[in-house]
Amino acid sequence: MSKRKMQPADLPAGECVSQLQEMLRQRLCHQQLPDRPEGVEAQHKHLLELLKRTSVHGESNSVLIVGPRGAGKTMLLKCVLRDLQEEKEAEKNLLQVHLNGLLQTDDRIALKEITRQLHLENVVGDKVFGSFAENLTFLLEALKKGDRSSSRPVLFVLDEFDLFAAHKNQTLLYNLLDVSQSAQAPIAVVGMTCRLDVLELLEKRVKSRFSHRQIHLLSNPTFAEYLGRVRTRLGLPDHFPDSRFAADWNASVETLCEDKSVEEVLRRHFHSSKDFRSLHMLLMLCLSRVSVAKPWIRPADLLEASRLSFADGEANMLHGLSILELCLIIAMKHLNDVYEGEPFNLQMVHNEFKKFLQRKSNSMYNFDQPVILKAFEHLQQLEMIRPVDSSSAKTQREFQLMRLMLDHSQIMEALQKYPQCPTEVKQWAMSAFG
Amino acid sequence: RMKYFTRLRVRRVYEWRGKPLSFNRKLKTYEYGSLAISVEGLPRITVIKIGQHILIEGEDEDNPYVAKVIRLFGDDSGKQKKAVVQWFVRVFEVPLSKLKLLGREPHPQEIFYYQGRSCDDEVDAGSILKPVQSELAPASSPPPPALASRGPARRALPTPDLTVMRRAAQGEARGGRATASAGKARAAEAESLHSSTKLSASKCLSAKRRNASARTPGVRKKLELSSECCREGSLLSCCIVLWPIKLQTGIPPQSKCDGCPAVHVDRAEVDNEISPMLPVIATPRGSKRKSAQLVSSRIRKQLNLLDNLQDLNSDGEDEEEFVPSKKELQSSEEEEEEEDEEEEEEAGLDSDDDVVYKKGRRAAAGPRTPRSKPRIRSSTRTPQRTPNRKITPGTPRTPQCATPSIPSRSLPARQPANVLEEARTRLHVSSVPESLPCREQEFQDIYSFVESKIEDGTGGCMYISGVPGTGKTATVQEVMRCLQHAADVDEIPPFHFIEINGMKMTDPHQAYVQILQKLTGQKATADHAAALLEKRFSNPAPRKETTVLLVDELDLLWTRKQNVMYNLFDWPTRRHARLVVLTIANTMDLPERIMINRVASRLGLTRMSFQPYSFKQLQQIIMSRLNKVKAFEEDALQLVWAALSGDARRCLDICRTATEICEHSPADPSATGLVEVGHVMEALNEMFSSAYVTAIKCASLQEQLFLRAVIAEFRRLGLEEATFQQVFVQHQALCRVEGLQPISVSEGLAVCRRLGGCRLLLLEPSRLGVLQRVRLNVSQDDVLYALKAD
């Protein structure tokens, strides 16, 4: 710290930290594109060539990008589009239409959105006129009038491609793919999905029109690569305003990555999931603990962040229950053990609880039936138990069959951490039989 | 109110005039010389005579068919009244390809002699609307040189002067005129006159003169056959300009001098007829300056011509009566020129003779201008004469005239630069091949089926099935291209070809809308379109050409009542439909599977099945596509066939992908630059390899463990299904075996969900939590193989 004061070019510490926060948050939260795709160079080249052919030669294509969630499908496409824009011919010509299966939930909406994004002539302002049928005819007519050499190529990006396959008759997919296979306006259809079985969703005539090009994003990074990714994600670039701060920070990141406990935490994450989005979440938690007083990430921060991200929400909810509710849960656990997971009702749980009370001959937990019913309902509201069948209107609440939604390990774990849990309750939970 | 008018139907009464001329014993028909048409509620009677040109009701109300009466006959009961006619076609009815042959810009009102063999020349008298006046194209309009040389064949029609129009409107039925009574009926009549005889009503007078010329057989014969002027082929042999003449109200003072005492009364009457309903005399929008000038100049020329030709007119009396004096015409010309200045003036309806007169003149000139023609309907009925141009652009209205188009690119597309790119262009599914190899037999069958139906003027259905990518649609379209060509060179009668696709509509009932729009350009709702089509196909419409309808993806037109399919197959069976329906679908047994009996029965048994392509055929297809572009090694192509299902699209895509791979693979010095076996293998891999195994290999350790736990639990249960809770127990055990820290339930659920997201596992909805059931979407062997390979 003292060194920094000697250099007049340096920024004050607070400024540095806020700069750092901003820069890293851009990377971790705002999906800032890396300068070049990491680990997917081949796919990047493939897709770039494909889209180049559409935009430059007017060749229609269709392709699917398949990869698990967080594998970088959107990142890949965005990188490709960014690189494509550098090409002058492509930049001027390519029209883009971005659709998302979660937003355009049926063809009617999708068609309006396409028409709007293409600025076709039946759009006035931001409104698309005409009925669904008219829109479809209009769009098809528009695409039909185009031809390979003279009309601008259109790129259709269908995010969550599998959801489009659920639309009625797959009309949109059929028509887009049909255009891509006939001498009409040149279009490229790029679908993105995480489902490996996406082709089986397509109807056979739709499937026949699809070119069957699939780009799989199934990278298999080693742990060393994973660790390297952590470094690059956290490292500050050379053009950071305060070079000394940047050097200090990079050195601290380096030491962090060499720490044994940190490595263990990261390895655990790596074993759980290789996708980078969860890693970014973890790093984000660490980053938010960086302050002026502590301008680096300590291993303890990472451990804490990891604990947070692995926390079991349901077990945590058990901590907030009353003793009575906890007892009911334990009674249910015993019932599950005895009857091998068969559903139970309130009466059975109450009986089990009464047995426990009789054994202890301790009246401190003597509750009335309505109180127990209330507790039972509370558990149901928390979705720790759920009725077997939803048609619950007919049966009385006391006799409605329920299932426990918690695993035994969760209950035991929660009991250990429950503040001031009475010993007899703990013992009851541990005992093999109620 | 406008709509009310358009919908209103006029009831006409048809009666023979005079005694039958002759009796045909064999057919038991009486020949008549003339037919009288009177409109119910109106005293006026119109007489149709043999040789007259008439308008015949067609599907387009604004543009009725034009024909010439050749014979009029009826049966002895008197119920059936028929007419044998010679058809004429209008400019817009002539296919573009033939218009080009004409070698000049046709006048929008020009009609052409029609010699199509396929058209029924016998029409029901009930479809006759009214007589129309026509004349041979004058030399003044720029005719082909050949036509110009045949001066005597042409007749000039006197200017569409009001006198003439007046007469025309009243026809020969002047005697039986009386004041019309029912306002509605009068309006209807006025309406019908306005709408249906847009071009109309100068009527018989010049028709007679036309006939006179037409009756000179030599001339007509020459018109039909003379080769120098008939380069167009048989269809376009005779050029006749239909004079657009409007029934109008205003009678100029001069008109009294033409020797018709009734004229003045007429005017009053007609004014009465129209004014109560239309506050402003319905007129077509005023002609533009240019058109007015054009008209007047043309009139002048015609007058000169008329002077020369007058002696040729055989029907002297008519001529004298109807041809206005030159002086009069000139005066009207002057009027017309003046009109230029006064054009902008919006004259309301008043009884001022002068204004009315001008309007009448304008009306006469108006329809002749090509521009005003498409708007005739609206303009004639719009009392306030609101011109379309007054609608300011950019108002947030539904853009009616929006043209569907994709903007064109700023830079032209790059052309293929090397062999591989060339090959790729040729291999793209979209590139239309010169011919369709391996489908010769199917092509022939479809061709002869459709051709025979067109030749006979009958209808029929054909069902074509085959798995996707076997060239069904391509073959049919190829057939239609060939037939269209044959029709263009007059080997077969002309026909319409329209195409609908079940996948390209939002609802089966939209099929009607699309068919109607493609047939006539009309827009209608589904119900209305169905009604119009029903009418079109079931009524003996005059001069109907065969319609060939291609219905692609037929199975999507299925509705619960199947009425769309029923109609599609029922129409061809109608006597007058002249409809050929070609249907395409994927499955061979579609008629048996989804159609109810009455639909399947109408579809008939003309079926064709496209077999999947064999390897040899695919090879031939690729070869013909590549057309000597050498881009593939011999053995590379051999490999392509090995992995195919007979889908030509797939095959082309593989080859195309292979060329891409070849292009981007690092150049091997020994390589020939052609596509090799390795490239094809890679392409096949990309397209067909299942990603499951790779996905499992790339999964994280916990995910792999979870898959193992699933299999272990399945084995323990002896079932292919387990709850998450059960699997999780196994998972914890496996973790301990592997020396890993056991994971929490929520982490386990996250792992499970990720596998479910890729569809390696099939899961129940996630709100079931630990109770959700888990199934594998891959075979256990695949999982074990993938996990072992590590």
Side-chain angles (χ1 to χ4, degrees), chain A residues 53 89 208 210 213 272, chain B residues 414 553 649-650 660 700:
Chain A
R53 276 201 301 280
E89 271 180 84
S208 167
F210 173 58
R213 286 160 199 274
S272 168
Chain B
R414 231 185 260 169
E553 314 292 3
R649 290 198 190 102
R650 186 81 328 100
E660 283 163 22
S700 71

Side-chain angles (χ1 to χ4, degrees), chain B residues 278-339:
Chain B
L278 304 169
V280 175
I281 299 169
T283 52
R285 189 131 56 77
S287 57
K288 300 279 166 290
R289 242 156 241 265
K290 262 189 189 167
S291 63
Q293 281 164 358
L294 188 83
V295 167
S296 62
S297 74
R298 195 171 286 176
I299 288 168
R300 236 176 268 129
K301 282 174 188 165
Q302 280 162 12
L303 279 171
N304 298 337
L305 196 76
L306 191 71
D307 284 347
N308 303 335
L309 295 177
Q310 204 126 30
D311 52 330
L312 284 167
N313 292 336
S314 55
D315 203 333
E317 191 215 315
D318 268 6
E319 210 57 47
E320 264 172 75
E321 190 182 343
F322 290 116
V323 176
S325 71
K326 195 176 173 183
K327 186 180 143 209
E328 186 188 316
L329 281 169
Q330 276 163 345
S331 72
S332 69
E333 271 172 56
E334 281 157 26
E335 285 286 344
E336 192 165 286
E337 277 153 12
E338 277 169 36
E339 179 191 315

Side-chain angles (χ1 to χ4, degrees), chain B residues 370-381:
Chain B
R371 278 200 55 200
S372 64
K373 183 152 183 160
R375 279 188 249 113
I376 277 169
R377 194 184 198 138
S378 61
S379 58
T380 46
R381 278 165 206 174

Side-chain angles (χ1 to χ4, degrees), chain B residues 28 180 205 221 306 317 363 552 600 638 691 703 709 732 781:
Chain B
K28 295 207 169 138
L205 82 153
K221 196 82 178 167
L306 191 71
E317 191 215 315
D552 214 340
Q638 295 296 329
E703 286 161 3
Q732 298 288 54
D781 294 338

Side-chain angles (χ1 to χ4, degrees), chain A residues 146-198:
Chain A
D147 71 47
R148 178 181 175 131
S149 50
S150 66
S151 14
R152 289 176 76 173
V154 190
L155 170 69
F156 288 92
V157 177
L158 307 181
D159 210 345
E160 310 290 347
F161 183 81
D162 46 314
L163 295 179
F164 286 97
H167 294 182
K168 191 191 162 212
N169 287 346
Q170 305 188 345
T171 310
L172 182 73
L173 291 185
Y174 176 91
N175 286 309
L176 286 184
L177 295 175
D178 193 53
V179 171
S180 83
Q181 297 248 312
S182 47
Q184 303 181 7
I187 67 165
V189 183
V190 178
M192 290 192 281
T193 179
C194 60
R195 288 185 64 164
L196 297 168
D197 62 344
V198 64

Side-chain angles (χ1 to χ4, degrees), chain A residues 326 330 410-418 421 425-426 429:
Chain A
L326 198 63
I330 293 168
Q410 284 172 303
I411 299 169
M412 300 316 286
E413 191 196 330
L415 273 177
Q416 296 305 321
K417 292 179 188 164
Y418 193 85
C421 182
V425 174
K426 265 189 193 171

